[in-house]
Amino acid sequence: MRVAIVTESFLPTINGVTNSVCKVLDHLALRGHDAIVICPTAGAPKRYKGFRVHEVPTITYRQFPVGVPNTRVQKLLDDFAPDIVHVASPMFLGAEAIAAAKRRGIGTVAIFQTDVAGYTRRNNLAAMEGVAWQVIRWIHNGADLNLAPSSSSIADLQRARVGNLKLWGRGVDLESYHPRHRQTDTVARLRQRITNSPDEVVIGYVGRVAPEKQVERLAALRGIPNIKIVIVGDGPSMDSVKKALKGMPVHYAGKLSGKDLSYAYASFDIFVHTGTEETFGQTIQEAHAAGLPVVAPYAGGPIDLISHGEDGYLFDPFSECDAHLRRCVEHLVANADARARMGEAGRRRVLDRSWESVCDELLGHYGDVITKRRGGEARERALSLTADDDALIESEQVLENGVG
């Protein structure tokens, strides 16, 4: 199979879109398929897993590279001749790729991953929210198949009258994030550095520290005894978060990746996710894989990822002063048995969500679109041949009638 992946974000930019694209490329290489990557210019590597990476003209918006429609996308598709075009979190670049593929009779799979409409609300552009959904509808309705990561996302897309929808979640690295890391000397030393006593309960957050993540909500935990809060990540809201959590027992770990990140998860006792605008919630899966109970808002992607009272708690994000968030965390802080039980349940929950199984599911979606496309082309050819036969018979009848 030949797959052209057109993505609005790629290395060296690190975010959910880039991470998912890299996992898909890893799997395509594992399964012996061929691929290319088309992405905005931002200093991307020339190759990834042996696949060519092509950068296209870009403008910069708020320090984020944005690919712009151009004829290079069409030429790259013509040269590579893919069987399928995978469009990751499509906007301008993705829209051009979908249109170009459609003109060439190539099937397209679009991945909905970014809450663009939510972005307009966060940035005081509420008047633009309707326009944002119109753009999303126009882009995604051009694709043969749209894959969304959660039931909440699918509901949003259905309300926006986007069709051809199916659920496709995300995988998790079950080896990198594993409860056994908690027993290592490395994690023991890490906990010694970040806590004042071995009895302290470590409450962790992992992710960007940005307005949409609402990390300031952790202020609701002020005054809970015997806790240490660890924030892994960085971002534009760091000053705001530090102000909101001033005087609280907080350790700021900065950005972590690889083994350092896996050890950070293993050093936590509870994982708290704070944002209400997640289309999925990958860090929740990572925390579950690490054997942690998770507390997250009853909103967006987390609704699909947590069973309230079994592997964590879903708090009401609209409770006054986040009182429900506080009660959920307080219960877990005071109850080690509940933490252990919910952590084990969380680990079991994600055992069938390896990236290998999730990406095999994606390959199945590719195959369905390709088969449907080829079936449609075959039907068109058959109808065309039938029309030609009818015209030939009609012309023969006219000749016979004329001779007679």
Side-chain angles (χ1 to χ4, degrees):
M1 191 185 306
R2 297 172 66 79
V3 183
I5 295 184
V6 182
T7 176
E8 306 291 342
S9 177
F10 196 59
L11 299 171
T13 304
I14 301 297
N15 54 36
V17 175
T18 298
N19 290 341
S20 293
V21 167
C22 288
K23 292 297 185 182
V24 171
L25 290 167
D26 292 345
H27 194 70
L28 290 173
L30 177 69
R31 293 287 186 253
H33 299 292
D34 198 5
I36 60 168
V37 179
I38 302 174
C39 62
T41 298
K46 298 298 183 183
R47 289 184 177 272
Y48 181 87
K49 293 293 181 177
F51 303 136
R52 288 290 303 275
V53 177
H54 303 274
E55 293 185 317
V56 298
T58 303
I59 59 172
T60 300
Y61 178 72
R62 295 194 175 185
Q63 300 181 327
F64 187 82
V66 178
V68 296
N70 60 89
T71 57
R72 180 161 164 73
V73 174
Q74 301 176 41
K75 185 177 187 308
L76 288 168
L77 292 181
D78 285 338
D79 292 343
F80 184 65
D83 299 302
I84 193 82
V85 175
H86 170 129
V87 188
S89 195
M91 281 303 292
F92 303 112
L93 189 59
E96 171 65 20
I98 290 171
K102 195 170 186 177
R103 288 193 296 270
R104 289 155 177 77
I106 303 168
T108 51
V109 174
I111 313 298
F112 179 77
Q113 198 162 342
T114 304
D115 184 5
V116 178
Y119 175 85
T120 63
R121 292 194 299 271
R122 290 192 303 274
N123 289 274
N124 299 316
L125 299 170
M128 293 296 293
E129 185 177 350
V131 175
W133 277 116
Q134 288 177 12
V135 172
I136 290 169
R137 180 168 61 249
W138 170 67
I139 293 173
H140 280 272
N141 278 340
D144 292 288
L145 177 63
N146 293 293
L147 299 178
S150 65
S151 58
S152 176
S153 297
I154 286 181
D156 287 343
L157 290 165
Q158 287 174 332
R159 281 192 292 270
R161 302 193 303 280
V162 173
N164 303 320
L165 287 163
K166 285 189 178 180
L167 182 68
W168 182 63
R170 300 293 179 270
V172 62
D173 187 336
L174 296 171
E175 289 302 311
S176 292
Y177 307 108
H178 198 290
R180 65 169 172 260
H181 296 323
R182 190 175 180 86
Q183 310 305 320
T184 63
D185 291 340
T186 301
V187 170
R189 289 193 296 269
L190 177 57
R191 283 182 65 95
Q192 287 175 354
R193 288 202 305 272
I194 64 179
T195 62
N196 295 317
S197 79
D199 296 328
E200 278 189 339
V201 177
V202 178
I203 299 167
Y205 166 85
V206 175
R208 265 173 52 81
V209 182
E212 68 273 16
K213 302 300 183 181
Q214 301 167 281
V215 185
E216 293 87 348
R217 284 182 183 273
L218 294 174
L221 309 184
R222 186 181 297 276
I224 297 178
N226 202 40
I227 66 169
K228 187 61 172 274
I229 298 169
V230 176
I231 295 176
V232 177
D234 201 354
S237 291
M238 184 57 79
D239 288 343
S240 173
V241 169
K242 287 184 175 180
K243 182 178 179 180
L245 306 186
K246 186 176 180 180
M248 295 178 66
V250 183
H251 172 76
Y252 296 95
K255 290 183 180 179
L256 298 176
S257 60
K259 288 185 177 180
D260 290 335
L261 181 57
S262 69
Y263 290 143
Y265 275 109
S267 72
F268 302 159
D269 298 297
I270 303 167
F271 184 82
V272 176
H273 177 80
T274 48
T276 57
E277 299 175 5
E278 295 293 327
T279 56
F280 187 64
Q282 180 64 6
T283 57
I284 292 174
Q285 286 201 141
E286 292 169 353
H288 272 157
L292 298 173
V294 178
V295 179
Y298 187 81
I303 295 174
D304 291 344
L305 301 178
I306 298 170
S307 295
H308 186 75
E310 294 182 17
D311 47 41
Y313 291 119
L314 290 163
F315 69 85
D316 175 7
F318 306 108
S319 66
E320 187 175 357
C321 299
D322 285 322
H324 192 206
L325 163 61
R326 182 186 178 93
R327 289 198 301 273
C328 292
V329 173
E330 279 181 320
H331 176 75
L332 288 171
V333 168
N335 195 329
D337 289 341
R339 295 200 301 269
R341 172 174 55 82
M342 291 185 181
E344 290 175 5
R347 174 70 184 181
R348 290 195 301 270
R349 186 186 187 107
V350 297
L351 288 178
D352 64 347
R353 301 303 295 169
S354 70
W355 274 109
E356 185 172 346
S357 65
V358 168
C359 287
D360 275 339
E361 181 184 337
L362 178 63
L363 295 184
H365 289 309
Y366 288 168
D368 290 344
V369 170
I370 292 169
T371 299
K372 187 175 179 180
R373 268 280 175 181
R374 289 174 178 171
E377 291 172 359
R379 284 193 297 274
E380 288 179 6
R381 285 196 297 271
L383 289 172
S384 176
L385 290 172
T386 301
D388 290 344
D389 290 343
D390 290 343
L392 180 60
I393 292 170
E394 184 177 346
S395 64
E396 288 175 346
Q397 288 174 343
V398 169
L399 287 172
E400 290 176 359
N401 292 335
V403 172

